[in-house]
Amino acid sequence: MRFRRVALCALALAACYGCARPHDRVAPGFIQVDIETSPTALDPRYATDAISERIDELMFDPMVRLDPQGGFVGDLAESIERTSPTEIIFHLRQGVHFNDGRELTARDVKSTFDFVIDRKNRSPKAGGLEQIKSIDALDDYTIKMTTRGPYAPALEMAMLGIVPGQTPGRNSSALDAPPGTGPFRLRDFERDDRVVLERNPARPISDANAIRGIIFKVVPDPTVRALELVEHICDLAPNDIQPDLLPYLRAQNGLDVLTSPGTTYWYLTFNFRDPALRDLKVRRAIAYSIDRDEIIRAYLRGTARIATGLLTPENWAYDGEVVTYPYDPERARQLLDNAGFKADRNGMRHLTLVYKCTPEGGRMGEILQAMLRRVGIEVRIRSNEWATFYGDMQRGNFDIAAMEWIGIKDPHHYYMVFDAPMTPPRGLNRGNYSNPEMDRLVEAGDTTTDEAARRKIYAQVQKLAAEDLPYLSLWWQDNVMVMNRTVAGFKPYPNGSLRSLADLTLTSPALMTTADGEPSE
Amino acid sequence: MIAYLGRRLLALIPVALGVATITFALIHLVPGDPVVAMLGDMAAPADIEGMRHELGLDRPLWQQYAAFLGGLATGDLGESISTHQRVAHLIAQRFPATLELASAGVIVAIAIAFPLGMIAGAAPGGPADLGAMGFAVVGISVPHLYLGPLLMILFSLKLRWLPLTGRGGLSHLILPAVTLGTALAAILARMLRQSLVQVRGSDYMRTAIGKGLSANAALLRHGLRNALTPVVTLLGLQLGGLLAGSIITEVIFSWPGLGRLMITAISARDYPLVEGCVLTFALTYVVVNMATDMVYGLIDPRIRLGGEAR
Amino acid sequence: MRLRTNLSLGIGGTLVAILILIGIFGPLITRHDPLAIDLRLALAGPKPNHPLGCDALGRDMLARLMYGARLSLAVSISVVALSLVVGSLIGGSAALAGGRVDSIVMRFVDVFLAFPGFLLAIALAAILGPGLTDLVIALTAMGWTGYARLVRGEVLSLREREYVQAANTLGATPSRILIRHLLPGIAGPVAVQATFGIGGIIVAEASLSFLGLGAMPPTPSWGNMLDAGRAFLLVAPHLTTAPGIAIGLSVLAFNLLGDGLAQLAGRRS
């Protein structure tokens, strides 16, 4: 008797537990996007990692942004005029409101820029705005940006998302976002778990089928992301899909796999503090040892193009007439012999390089390790979680590493990565590369405002970079989106921007009107 | 009785101290410079000195030890290098998840071990016995390392009955708990069978049967309670091993507990956090063992009074 | 009873013998280089040239398993041997010294025991860094205490036995006493403990390699093969199944052998 009662209670309890709505059920009109890592900052004045930037793009508007073809288009700025080599005037749109009701004026723009530029606020974006001499609000809707000298990439600096004036700085555990003018606003943020965005009430939409909100769910495990796609728990997974899973996902009903050319540039960076790597012969040998065709075909399953340099063919300054390094291990061995690294009986050359990576990058590390072993170079792989890896890269605690640049738009980036004084924390020259000819060229590229002249300069930069090998160009990664077929209207941007999520519609009306209610917490 | 408990609690202190000292020695007396490991050997000497000072590593060893023990007494375990949060806070956040997993593992172990052991013990030498014990040997041999992914492939990927990783409702707990508890279940089942067989041959059992009870009823009514004691003893002894197994299980299932925190801290070269996690695990182990000891002292007066251990 | 002893001993013994043969000769007879990659064969399932398929980089799984067997056996046997030596030295000397020294040493052993073994191995492996020698050191720290206690117990009881005292009086050197009288006494329990120990160390090494604290790529270890297979559970479960079964069977083999030996020793005494 007693036993039966106990059993019934246990069953009831289990039922309650089991029936509790798991966190990942979607509310009507909301889509779920699975992402690999948690965003760190939902404030455009601080965000520098890719996922934070992409989510911020949905909540905050800049004066100027990129269109799907990669060109500049005004957002908050209705029109732009360059009045002198050092001055640009932005005329702001009127009637734009923050999601708390206030209207956006030039004062908000000025205060956002001033906040980032002020070193006291320790914004990691300050370095990028170094060339700004001043931002002035000429009237309620006009902004004047003055640069220290003629500065070609000035417009890129205007891509900063705007927050209201008087918004305080971030403390280290901020789980809030400032008000923004973007199509969405923040509803909920649980670090390492999810970000929930809902439509900005100040920007009503007319389409009844447009999505009402987005749940960005942090799912670090790629297998789970794939499973969630297959089970339609997740509606969209942007990039970060394991290439090996693509054939499997393509074969699933109800899923679409969209690949489009991307600007994400993968490269091998050399640490010039290492004497062996300072020898050009060694770097060239490494370049000839890596079979990039094979890697793209077999490991990346064709979702990339062999890269010749930092800039993709879609970029206005692209020049493809540069020296390339087809797979040629024999030549690599010769170069290493010439460099003084003779091979012993086993073919190994007493040249050991430390390769740093994250656990996700371990497989590529092993591929490179195996390819370099074929020519006699020993590679030791050291894998750490992202923050430690990033810290190592910033401090020069590596010999070689494979990394990516996401969202390169203007060739000004060459200055940040190759100019000799631009080592971290000031710039991005992590390998401590120093070449006076390169310095001359990239500095000229920044200060020349005539586009034709700039193009000539950067053509030379690309040729020099391919010859001198501060980076070994690996490939340009395509953007790969896997989507639920019930979601329509997605437009890919070469830099991986998720801006078009604002235009998504759900093709199945039933998804908009279930009686389910709010997403459970 | 109170005196006994008091004595045991007092004995806890030197052991805890010893464990803390071992932890300190591990982190601080090892060859190689942790600061160089963190900053790289190309780092500027000024940076290395700065970091060393920040971590308090330039003070004499006994001072560091004293500071460590002092912090321990007040519950301050320092600051995590990678997240800049208090180590004690991080550990407190994650510890409940580990407890949840460990207790679920114990429940699963008992739930499997009981029927298995009883079936085997009821008819020793028979086919059920061989089957159950064969199962037990396999259960002990398959490590968490493989059982976890095996269950994942079967129940999550192929059958889609259960979620793959992470912590959530009951359904998220099942696979990790089964993974963790199976080996323990196998050990307990074997012990239960053995002690049941022993009990069957004992005098009071024969008396009960002589009085007219069937063999099984006698077993259930009289034998079981006595058969249980060595099993419970074994359970107590194995609890520490369960903690160790939980580390691997947490990593396999991305369970947000203390074990996974420790492994992440190791990867981040976050020595204060590693130290804190190791210490917490070790102290928990000590406390659990001590508690088990005390419980036996309560159950079996002979132990309490200093007689022979069973 | 007799049947069961033979069963455990027989099956366990056979499996262990097979394992040792694989470990010694397997790498010599395999045609494939366990480190040679071939990206076109990445994640390939079993096929004529590759009976167990290939891993994520197109390396032959069978070859990697066999090299992994060699690694597991070499590491675990070294560790157990080292633990035995260290434990015997410490336990034996403590027992011989007796009195105060014995108490202190045993206190030390107790405190060591209060520390969960695997945790100690993880912590040491993390701090000492990657590399096989460091791995062996870290794993030795796990198990030496068992042997210390065992040897100490035997030596203590031996001291009291009459024939030992007689031999001592007659002028036999301590080493003679050791070899003639001590070794036969502990051979049994030590053999049993060592056998179970090898199985345990195989799992511990695999666990450490799985966590990234043991054998480093590209060296194949069953543990790091399991870790590599995790990302491909959905499309290539054989990457996980193969090393997993290998570990399970090896541990089973040593556990059965240990069981058999225990029952053999139990019957004798």
Side-chain angles (χ1 to χ4, degrees):
Chain A
M1 222 0 131
R2 197 187 289 168
F3 171 72
R4 216 186 296 166
R5 225 179 284 161
V6 171
L8 275 170
C9 286
L11 266 170
L13 207 68
C16 288
Y17 247 124
C19 287
R21 292 171 72 68
H23 287 203
D24 37 6
R25 279 276 165 268
V26 177
F30 276 68
I31 59 164
Q32 174 164 318
V33 176
D34 277 0
I35 53 181
E36 190 180 11
T37 50
S38 177
T40 51
L42 295 181
D43 184 327
R45 300 169 302 174
Y46 291 98
T48 46
D49 58 296
I51 190 63
S52 301
E53 295 239 30
R54 289 185 183 143
I55 295 181
D56 287 350
E57 262 189 313
L58 293 165
M59 294 196 286
F60 307 97
D61 292 325
M63 287 202 287
V64 156
R65 61 182 172 83
L66 296 177
D67 65 21
Q69 284 70 46
F72 282 116
V73 66
D75 193 322
L76 291 175
E78 210 165 34
S79 66
I80 306 165
E81 20 168 342
R82 189 183 265 282
T83 50
S84 85
T86 55
E87 288 178 351
I88 307 183
I89 305 276
F90 298 86
H91 297 281
L92 301 178
R93 230 177 277 274
Q94 301 191 12
V96 176
H97 289 90
F98 288 102
N99 58 31
D100 61 359
R102 280 181 283 174
E103 197 196 359
L104 179 142
T105 66
R107 265 186 306 281
D108 299 307
V109 176
K110 174 176 164 57
S111 74
T112 305
F113 273 89
D114 285 344
F115 183 94
V116 173
I117 292 171
D118 186 348
R119 295 278 172 172
K120 279 204 304 292
N121 293 319
R122 306 244 202 119
S123 161
K125 289 191 146 145
L129 300 183
E130 242 176 27
Q131 290 300 318
I132 296 183
K133 186 159 156 203
S134 68
I135 297 266
D136 302 297
L138 298 181
D139 62 43
D140 274 352
Y141 301 105
T142 315
I143 285 277
K144 177 167 86 163
M145 177 194 284
T146 314
T147 55
R148 293 182 197 282
Y151 191 59
L155 217 49
E156 212 171 291
M157 295 194 292
M159 285 172 63
L160 179 66
I162 303 299
V163 300
Q166 315 295 309
T167 304
R170 181 181 69 137
N171 61 4
S172 61
S173 57
L175 293 177
D176 254 329
T181 57
F184 292 94
R185 70 172 175 186
L186 182 69
R187 179 165 159 169
D188 190 20
F189 176 28
E190 283 172 42
R191 193 188 293 276
D192 289 328
D193 188 35
R194 73 175 108 180
V195 178
V196 183
L197 299 183
E198 58 183 7
R199 284 276 175 193
N200 181 350
R203 286 171 68 147
I205 26 137
S206 47
D207 189 339
N209 286 334
I211 60 168
R212 295 212 191 110
I214 309 171
I215 303 176
F216 286 95
K217 185 96 179 31
V218 180
V219 181
D221 192 325
T223 309
V224 180
R225 285 202 297 277
L227 271 184
E228 292 201 344
L229 276 169
V230 167
E231 291 172 6
H232 300 295
I233 294 175
C234 159
D235 295 295
L236 192 146
N239 290 315
D240 296 332
I241 306 284
Q242 248 180 303
D244 315 276
L245 293 178
L246 285 177
Y248 173 79
L249 290 172
R250 277 199 180 100
Q252 300 294 319
N253 273 334
L255 285 183
D256 279 327
V257 176
L258 241 84
T259 51
S260 57
T263 56
T264 299
Y265 169 70
W266 276 91
Y267 60 98
L268 201 65
T269 178
F270 299 110
N271 193 343
F272 282 76
R273 297 178 190 88
D274 181 293
L277 292 173
R278 275 204 288 273
D279 187 342
L280 178 61
K281 292 193 216 64
V282 172
R283 298 199 300 281
R284 292 180 69 210
I286 294 178
Y288 283 116
S289 325
I290 298 181
D291 189 352
R292 289 172 290 167
D293 267 314
E294 182 77 351
I295 297 179
I296 291 175
R297 194 173 351 119
Y299 169 52
L300 295 175
R301 309 273 168 152
T303 57
R305 309 170 277 172
I306 291 193
T308 55
L310 208 74
L311 304 174
T312 59
E314 291 81 30
N315 193 293
W316 65 269
Y318 172 73
D319 183 342
E321 303 267 312
V322 299
V323 62
T324 55
Y325 300 89
Y327 180 54
D328 192 344
E330 226 359 87
R331 193 138 171 215
R333 290 189 198 105
Q334 254 176 338
L335 281 163
L336 288 170
D337 282 337
N338 293 347
F341 292 100
K342 297 274 182 258
D344 64 17
R345 264 178 317 123
N346 299 331
M348 300 307 287
R349 293 174 193 272
H350 298 290
L351 176 58
T352 306
L353 298 171
V354 173
Y355 177 91
K356 294 264 171 136
C357 63
T358 56
E360 300 77 38
R363 195 167 151 208
M364 171 121 101
E366 284 194 68
I367 294 177
L368 294 174
Q369 184 186 46
M371 288 181 175
L372 287 177
R373 179 180 304 109
R374 288 181 195 156
V375 302
I377 300 178
E378 188 192 321
V379 170
R380 292 217 189 106
I381 301 178
R382 295 281 174 266
S383 158
N384 298 93
E385 49 88 55
W386 170 256
T388 309
F389 165 68
Y390 187 68
D392 281 345
M393 299 307 295
Q394 292 289 87
R395 291 186 205 108
N397 190 4
F398 68 98
D399 285 340
I400 51 175
M403 294 188 79
E404 49 177 343
W405 285 121
I406 301 182
I408 296 178
K409 156 114 196 81
D410 191 281
H412 158 71
H413 199 75
Y414 275 108
Y415 173 76
M416 300 296 288
V417 297
F418 291 154
D419 194 55
M422 293 303 275
T423 51
R426 189 167 159 215
L428 305 167
N429 183 355
R430 298 179 184 130
N432 206 25
Y433 175 61
S434 176
N435 180 338
E437 175 65 15
M438 179 69 84
D439 290 348
R440 190 184 66 77
L441 285 170
V442 297
E443 282 161 22
D446 268 359
T447 49
T448 311
T449 43
D450 173 54
E451 195 173 286
R454 276 189 98 205
R455 190 182 275 134
K456 281 215 192 75
I457 292 174
Y458 284 112
Q460 285 182 286
V461 169
Q462 289 168 77
K463 286 186 169 56
L464 182 58
E467 274 163 23
D468 207 26
L469 289 175
Y471 285 167
L472 171 60
S473 295
L474 293 174
W475 46 79
W476 295 307
Q477 174 80 53
D478 291 343
N479 285 314
V480 180
M481 303 277 162
V482 184
M483 294 198 290
N484 206 336
R485 264 189 206 142
T486 55
V487 165
F490 184 79
K491 278 201 199 56
Y493 282 69
N495 65 353
S497 164
L498 296 175
R499 186 76 186 188
S500 78
L501 287 183
D503 305 321
L504 282 185
T505 56
L506 290 170
T507 59
S508 169
L511 289 168
M512 307 293 292
T513 55
T514 53
D516 273 334
E518 314 293 27
S520 64
E521 293 301 279
Chain B
M1 169 86 92
I2 310 285
Y4 173 73
L5 287 176
R7 261 185 291 131
R8 299 305 280 151
L9 276 173
L10 223 61
L12 188 62
I13 300 179
V15 180
L17 207 63
V19 159
T21 309
I22 292 185
T23 309
F24 179 82
L26 271 179
I27 312 281
H28 290 259
L29 290 180
V30 178
D33 189 338
V35 181
V36 173
M38 278 191 256
L39 297 179
D41 43 18
M42 312 260 202
D47 289 338
I48 295 184
E49 279 315 302
M51 173 71 97
R52 202 175 268 142
H53 183 73
E54 205 184 298
L55 294 176
L57 292 174
D58 51 354
R59 291 179 294 166
L61 202 61
W62 66 266
Q63 252 192 34
Q64 294 183 44
Y65 182 52
F68 174 68
L69 287 183
L72 200 57
T74 55
D76 176 15
L77 293 167
E79 183 178 287
S80 151
I81 296 176
S82 53
T83 62
H84 298 292
Q85 292 178 276
R86 303 307 296 171
V87 167
H89 173 67
L90 284 169
I91 292 179
Q93 262 185 334
R94 305 278 223 145
F95 198 58
T98 301
L99 279 182
E100 181 183 324
L101 180 60
S103 42
V106 170
I107 293 176
V108 165
I110 295 178
I112 296 180
F114 251 65
L116 216 61
M118 300 231 285
I119 294 174
D129 180 24
L130 279 170
M133 285 304 102
F135 187 80
V137 173
V138 173
I140 297 181
S141 306
V142 177
H144 306 300
L145 209 50
Y146 176 46
L147 186 60
L150 186 63
L151 292 176
M152 282 162 114
I153 294 177
L154 194 55
F155 291 103
S156 191
L157 294 178
K158 290 267 153 55
L159 292 172
R160 306 274 177 84
W161 284 352
L162 295 168
L164 194 71
T165 57
R167 185 186 185 198
L170 186 65
S171 56
H172 286 262
L173 189 53
I174 296 180
L175 287 184
V178 171
T179 304
L180 191 56
T182 302
L184 182 59
I187 296 176
L188 292 178
R190 271 164 68 118
M191 179 55 102
L192 182 57
R193 176 211 175 268
Q194 211 160 306
S195 68
L196 274 176
V197 165
Q198 265 185 328
V199 156
R200 277 171 140 253
S202 64
D203 292 333
Y204 61 86
M205 281 291 292
R206 271 185 254 144
T207 317
I209 293 175
K211 283 208 214 145
L213 279 173
S214 77
N216 281 339
L219 199 66
L220 270 168
R221 274 240 215 115
H222 299 285
L224 199 56
R225 266 180 78 205
N226 289 335
L228 278 184
T229 322
V231 179
V232 174
T233 313
L234 190 58
L235 177 59
L237 288 173
Q238 293 290 326
L239 282 178
L242 198 72
L243 265 183
S246 75
I247 299 177
I248 292 279
T249 310
E250 283 183 22
V251 172
I252 294 176
F253 287 96
S254 301
W255 190 264
L258 198 58
R260 204 158 137 244
L261 180 65
M262 182 172 75
I263 301 299
T264 314
I266 289 176
S267 173
R269 299 192 216 118
D270 191 338
Y271 290 113
L273 187 53
V274 175
E275 198 173 41
C277 290
V278 170
L279 196 60
T280 310
F281 266 116
L283 285 177
T284 308
Y285 186 66
V286 165
V287 167
V288 164
N289 283 345
M290 189 72 55
T292 321
D293 265 350
M294 293 205 292
V295 167
Y296 296 147
L298 290 172
I299 294 179
D300 189 346
R302 291 181 291 174
I303 295 175
R304 197 189 329 149
L305 297 171
E308 263 171 45
R310 253 178 180 235
Chain C
M1 194 53 167
R2 185 176 282 246
L3 181 68
R4 195 179 278 120
T5 308
N6 287 351
L7 207 62
S8 289
L9 200 58
I11 298 182
T14 318
L15 284 177
V16 169
I18 295 178
L19 188 62
I20 294 182
L21 283 173
I22 293 181
I24 299 179
F25 296 112
L28 296 173
I29 60 171
T30 179
R31 302 170 268 151
H32 294 283
D33 178 359
L35 305 181
I37 67 171
D38 184 354
L39 292 176
R40 286 163 300 164
L41 288 174
L43 301 178
K47 36 168 59 134
N49 204 17
H50 298 277
L52 289 180
C54 296
D55 72 355
L57 270 67
R59 296 178 289 210
D60 180 49
M61 285 294 283
L62 185 59
R64 285 180 75 78
L65 276 184
M66 295 207 279
Y67 274 81
R70 182 182 273 190
L71 183 90
S72 292
L73 283 175
V75 168
S76 48
I77 292 178
S78 316
V79 168
V80 168
L82 198 59
S83 304
L84 189 53
V85 167
V86 169
S88 312
L89 281 174
I90 295 184
S93 349
L96 284 175
R100 260 281 175 79
V101 177
D102 184 33
S103 291
I104 296 178
V105 172
M106 286 333 276
R107 278 274 135 260
F108 172 65
V109 171
D110 276 340
V111 172
F112 219 92
L113 269 177
F115 217 95
F118 188 52
L119 191 66
L120 191 57
I122 292 184
L124 270 177
I127 291 163
L128 291 173
L132 284 180
T133 341
D134 297 315
L135 183 61
V136 169
I137 295 177
L139 289 172
T140 307
M142 257 178 81
W144 67 271
T145 47
Y147 301 106
R149 280 219 169 147
L150 198 66
V151 171
R152 174 182 172 270
E154 270 300 311
V155 173
L156 276 183
S157 78
L158 261 188
R159 278 172 61 159
E160 311 310 313
R161 298 230 188 110
E162 288 162 351
Y163 58 85
V164 173
Q165 289 175 335
N168 210 2
T169 325
L170 286 174
T173 59
S175 51
R176 192 120 185 264
I177 300 178
L178 215 68
I179 299 174
R180 271 286 195 78
H181 301 289
L182 178 69
L183 288 181
I186 54 171
V190 162
V192 173
Q193 189 151 338
T195 309
F196 283 119
I198 294 182
I201 299 293
I202 291 182
V203 174
E205 179 271 316
S207 304
L208 285 180
S209 301
F210 175 80
L211 294 172
L213 297 169
M216 301 299 284
T219 312
S221 146
W222 292 339
N224 65 27
M225 287 169 78
L226 268 176
D227 186 30
R230 282 218 292 168
F232 307 103
L233 280 182
L234 199 54
V235 292
H238 66 280
L239 258 60
T240 306
T241 326
I245 293 183
I247 299 180
L249 278 179
S250 309
V251 176
L252 183 66
F254 281 99
N255 279 352
L256 282 177
L257 184 59
D259 257 351
L261 286 177
Q263 284 168 2
L264 204 61
R267 264 189 334 132
R268 283 226 194 105
S269 66

